[in-house]
Amino acid sequence: MDGYESNRRDFLKKLGLIAGATVLSTTGMAQVEELITDKKEKYKLTPEQTKFMKMYEKWLDEFHGMAKFQKKDPDHLDNNKKLVALSEEAKTWQKELIEHMKDENFARYFMIATERVTTVI
């Protein structure tokens, strides 16, 4: 595994751990399974959270496509550069994400939205 792949995986693990820890601390283990099969539309977000999630879901769609492509062709230089750029972009809004994750509704919504990508990674 090269340095890029290691950094990407580390970043995504940290992002997942932050989200997961927040969810577990607010919901408990018994509710995690329910969360996974839940619908994000069920959770009401504030206007700021909604704005963040629109940006995040756009980012997630782009990241998802590139992550899928990387599984097929891990040495594709342009795709790998784009993945690095997306990871760097995510660092710019990580503090905002951490703040939003303090809200149980947001944390549930976020985990549901993110679930589809975690299977690819």
Side-chain angles (χ1 to χ4, degrees):
M1 181 181 321
D2 65 6
Y4 160 75
E5 182 68 18
S6 178
N7 287 340
R8 181 177 73 92
R9 287 184 189 274
D10 288 345
F11 169 76
L12 292 169
K13 282 182 196 174
K14 287 177 186 172
L15 187 61
L17 288 173
I18 291 167
T22 303
V23 169
L24 288 176
S25 70
T26 59
T27 64
M29 284 298 290
Q31 295 173 329
V32 171
E33 186 174 308
E34 175 188 331
L35 238 180
I36 293 171
T37 59
D38 216 348
K39 301 276 186 257
K40 65 183 181 182
E41 292 78 16
K42 178 178 168 182
Y43 302 99
K44 302 289 185 217
L45 303 179
T46 67
E48 294 93 17
Q49 292 169 339
T50 300
K51 182 179 176 184
F52 180 88
M53 282 307 297
K54 284 181 182 181
M55 177 277 306
Y56 173 74
E57 288 180 307
K58 182 179 175 186
W59 177 91
L60 192 61
D61 287 341
E62 191 173 356
F63 187 85
H64 182 246
M66 291 179 185
K68 281 175 60 176
F69 184 83
Q70 191 199 34
K71 283 243 181 210
K72 294 177 189 173
D73 187 0
D75 297 324
H76 193 277
L77 187 59
D78 286 339
N79 190 64
N80 290 342
K81 285 180 181 178
K82 290 176 185 175
L83 278 168
V84 169
L86 284 174
S87 295
E88 290 299 317
E89 178 185 335
K91 288 178 186 178
T92 66
W93 41 259
Q94 190 173 18
K95 286 182 183 179
E96 183 179 0
L97 172 61
I98 291 168
E99 281 302 308
H100 288 312
M101 291 298 283
K102 293 176 182 176
D103 179 310
E104 183 177 339
N105 281 331
F106 180 87
R108 290 179 181 205
Y109 188 104
F110 179 84
M111 293 299 288
I112 294 165
T114 304
E115 179 185 11
R116 66 188 165 93
V117 175
T118 57
T119 59
V120 173
I121 299 166

